[in-house]
Amino acid sequence: MKVLIILCLLLYAAAMLFILLYSLAQAHLLYRFRRYLKQGSNATPPAPEVWPMVTVQLPVYNEKYVVERLIDTVAALDYPAAKIEFQLLDDSDDETTQIIQQSIQQYPHLPFRHIRRQDRSGFKAGALRYGLEQAKGEFIAIFDADFTPSPTFLKQTVPHFSHPETGMVQTRWAHLNKGYSILTRLQAFALDAHFYIEQVGRSSLNAYINFNGTAGIWRKATILDAGNWQDDTLTEDLDLSYRAQLKGWRFKYLPEVESPAELPPVMSALKSQQFRWTKGGAESAVKHLGSVLRSRAPLQTKCHATAHLLNSSVFVAVLLASLASIPLLWAKVNNLLPLVVFNAGAVTLLSFAVISLVYFQANAMGNVSQSKRTGGFLLYFPLFLSISMGLALHNAVAVWEGWSGRKSPFIRTPKFNLEARQHKWQENFYLNIRMPYTTYAEGLLGLLFLGVAVWGIVQQEYGMLVFHGMLALGYLLVFYHSYQSYRKI
């Protein structure tokens, strides 16, 4: 029994150490972001004397709710008509294709090309690669189906390619439906930390950043030089980003340029997105981490790239630490380990403090009063942490599949266009109604940690009460909202 407890202690310590090291990297990014705020935003370089040719790629697969809005939005882009072309990269097998054909007829003066493939091989990466072969543009702008870029997008981004080594320019995601529900608010809470703190921090360090799959623009030569779009990971954007930057291309991030998009309003859609992101991140880590560590990049760049590529592994650490904490709590109640062991665990509070500061800073961005920002943070941050913990099992499975090389298809995130109020989310044709086994496991874990928390109170042992309470709340909330969305209640 003592050997088992020591093994659990080592597992818990290793998981919490990983989280601590990751939080220290986040702390450095927060410091760099604060410096960026003092220095001011990026100034847009002068417009080129002759605007270059731009191809706007719109990868689409079964997007009947949002594709018409997408076409209307990009048709309004302010750019010389002779210097732009639009590619509708349409892999759909439903009425989306007919909607596209009807919509582009409204813009006979614009060069829309409706491109169909014989099959969906390579998924999004395959569609982008196929379109690139036919693209006339020197630069390639990419928008997913739920994005609504402003008319000035190209004139705000293209001038930043004045430096010949600049290979990609990424803009900041904004949120069309942030206020739709608690779930969308929590997603905005999380994404803002990435698009403000992480992207700005890494960019200011000249460390590796990533193209976020959409709302960015590439130099075509960069894509080709880096080996083109590849489909051996579920995050073709992160994969290409690292291949390009390892080749020496520079990336530019523009937090002041907003690109609004839709947030998944239901848990099943969010889980689909999270699974793809976390598994693809793990696959990209397997593919590129060795190359990063062997490269001639500065040590600081290597450290942040390591944290970046391994960020999805935090869910594995949370899952392992939570499970190992149960026998450790039992050991503490029964005096089977020295008290100093548990006192040393207080250092993990540093991780919590850093993450709190990161999300507080991200939440503070925006045109709202200080009292509303603080109130919003106090309300949403505990919920965000709890639900993040509740997603640990689901995302840890994705990470494990990525590490082990198990392949799975690219599952698109269903889009809704609920802002138009034309239908309820329950009526969405694309929602998956098959509930995976992990959802039942999440419910059981919620009950388990609830029982552990209650047992700790009975034993008057409160050291892990907050941790276990948040785990119970997170797993039960994830289970409830998952069940609701899969069953379309």
Side-chain angles (χ1 to χ4, degrees):
M1 178 61 70
K2 190 170 184 180
V3 172
L4 180 60
I5 292 173
I6 291 175
L7 288 176
C8 288
L9 177 62
L10 293 174
L11 182 63
Y12 181 85
M16 297 307 291
L17 177 61
F18 178 84
I19 294 173
L20 176 61
L21 293 175
Y22 178 78
S23 70
L24 292 177
Q26 294 291 96
H28 190 221
L29 295 180
L30 176 60
Y31 166 71
R32 295 296 304 192
F33 177 76
R34 296 289 301 176
R35 285 189 58 181
Y36 165 84
L37 290 180
K38 294 179 180 180
Q39 294 170 355
S41 60
N42 296 297
T44 303
E49 295 183 6
V50 179
W51 289 99
M53 185 71 186
V54 174
T55 298
V56 179
Q57 290 190 322
L58 310 172
V60 172
Y61 173 65
N62 293 356
E63 302 288 5
K64 67 179 183 178
Y65 299 113
V66 295
V67 71
E68 184 176 2
R69 181 184 67 186
L70 172 68
I71 292 171
D72 291 341
T73 301
V74 299
L77 287 171
D78 178 18
Y79 204 74
K83 296 290 186 176
I84 192 171
E85 68 168 348
F86 303 93
Q87 291 184 341
L88 267 300
L89 305 174
D90 178 23
D91 286 347
S92 303
D93 53 20
D94 69 353
E95 60 263 47
T96 301
T97 297
Q98 287 71 44
I99 296 173
I100 291 174
Q101 291 171 347
Q102 294 170 4
S103 298
I104 62 178
Q105 288 178 7
Q106 301 177 33
Y107 303 100
H109 59 292
L110 293 177
F112 275 102
R113 295 188 61 203
H114 188 191
I115 298 175
R116 301 273 291 165
R117 297 190 292 162
Q118 292 183 347
D119 57 60
R120 201 181 165 219
S121 59
F123 305 106
K124 182 180 176 181
L128 293 172
R129 187 170 59 241
Y130 186 78
L132 194 68
E133 295 173 358
Q134 308 170 50
K136 301 176 183 177
E138 179 184 353
F139 298 99
I140 312 294
I142 301 171
F143 298 104
D144 282 348
D146 57 326
F147 274 73
T148 58
S150 72
T152 59
F153 177 89
L154 292 177
K155 288 191 173 178
Q156 288 179 294
T157 54
V158 170
H160 287 277
F161 286 95
S162 57
H163 195 291
E165 292 183 2
T166 300
M168 191 278 297
V169 173
Q170 175 68 50
T171 64
R172 177 172 58 85
W173 293 8
H175 318 295
L176 291 171
N177 60 336
K178 176 179 178 178
Y180 181 78
S181 67
I182 288 291
L183 186 59
T184 55
R185 288 185 181 276
L186 292 178
Q187 290 176 72
F189 193 83
L191 286 171
D192 285 347
H194 169 69
F195 282 99
Y196 279 118
I197 311 302
E198 294 181 345
Q199 288 286 61
V200 171
R202 294 187 186 113
S203 181
S204 70
L205 288 165
N206 293 319
Y208 296 156
I209 68 171
N210 61 295
F211 171 57
N212 291 108
T214 177
I217 181 168
W218 285 82
R219 191 186 297 272
K220 183 179 179 180
T222 303
I223 300 175
L224 297 176
D225 180 58
N228 213 324
W229 296 103
Q230 298 176 7
D231 54 71
D232 55 346
T233 75
L234 291 181
T235 47
E236 73 293 324
D237 45 6
L238 179 63
D239 170 38
L240 180 59
S241 297
Y242 268 80
R243 283 188 280 119
Q245 289 170 109
L246 284 168
K247 293 274 279 185
W249 291 97
R250 295 169 54 181
F251 284 12
K252 184 80 172 180
Y253 179 61
L254 306 179
E256 63 276 8
V257 180
E258 290 188 353
S259 295
E262 179 182 289
L263 296 164
V266 294
M267 185 61 74
S268 59
L270 171 62
K271 279 186 166 182
S272 173
Q273 184 184 74
Q274 286 282 306
F275 191 91
R276 190 175 69 249
W277 287 355
T278 51
K279 180 174 180 176
E283 290 173 328
S284 294
V286 171
K287 185 174 180 178
H288 295 298
L289 187 54
S291 298
V292 168
L293 296 177
R294 291 190 299 269
S295 71
R296 296 182 179 179
L299 178 60
Q300 182 174 253
T301 298
K302 291 182 179 181
C303 289
H304 278 288
T306 300
H308 188 192
L309 288 169
L310 294 179
N311 62 1
S312 61
S313 305
V314 170
F315 290 104
V316 176
V318 169
L319 179 63
L320 294 177
S322 63
L323 294 175
S325 71
I326 298 175
L328 292 182
L329 178 63
W330 181 84
K332 186 176 183 183
V333 169
N334 291 278
N335 298 313
L336 297 178
L337 284 174
L339 186 61
V340 67
V341 171
F342 297 95
N343 292 337
V347 72
T348 59
L349 293 175
L350 178 60
S351 301
F352 176 79
V354 169
I355 298 301
S356 300
L357 289 172
V358 167
Y359 283 95
F360 181 80
Q361 179 66 74
N363 184 66
M365 305 304 295
N367 298 319
V368 294
S369 66
Q370 181 64 43
S371 60
K372 286 186 177 181
R373 289 197 295 264
T374 303
F377 175 79
L378 293 176
L379 172 63
Y380 295 121
F381 184 63
L383 274 175
F384 162 74
L385 276 186
S386 295
I387 291 182
S388 295
M389 292 177 181
L391 286 168
L393 174 64
H394 175 270
N395 288 347
V397 171
V399 173
W400 176 254
E401 288 190 7
W403 285 348
S404 62
R406 180 179 176 182
K407 296 301 179 182
S408 57
F410 184 103
I411 306 298
R412 58 179 288 281
T413 304
K415 312 302 190 304
F416 293 80
N417 195 13
L418 294 177
E419 301 74 50
R421 302 294 179 185
Q422 296 173 349
H423 58 87
K424 298 179 180 179
W425 68 259
Q426 291 90 338
E427 300 169 359
N428 190 295
F429 177 78
Y430 304 122
L431 275 179
N432 180 15
I433 61 174
R434 292 188 60 188
M435 190 158 65
Y437 72 91
T438 50
T439 298
Y440 298 103
E442 286 160 354
L444 292 174
L445 284 171
L447 294 175
L448 171 64
F449 285 111
L450 179 61
V452 171
V454 171
W455 182 75
I457 294 173
V458 171
Q459 297 295 323
Q460 298 184 343
E461 178 52 63
Y462 307 110
M464 292 186 175
L465 178 60
V466 173
F467 184 44
H468 290 147
M470 293 181 71
L471 284 164
L473 176 63
Y475 276 117
L476 290 174
L477 283 174
V478 169
F479 169 76
Y480 170 75
H481 286 288
S482 298
Y483 182 86
Q484 184 187 53
S485 60
Y486 283 117
R487 297 303 179 186
K488 299 187 179 182
I489 295 176

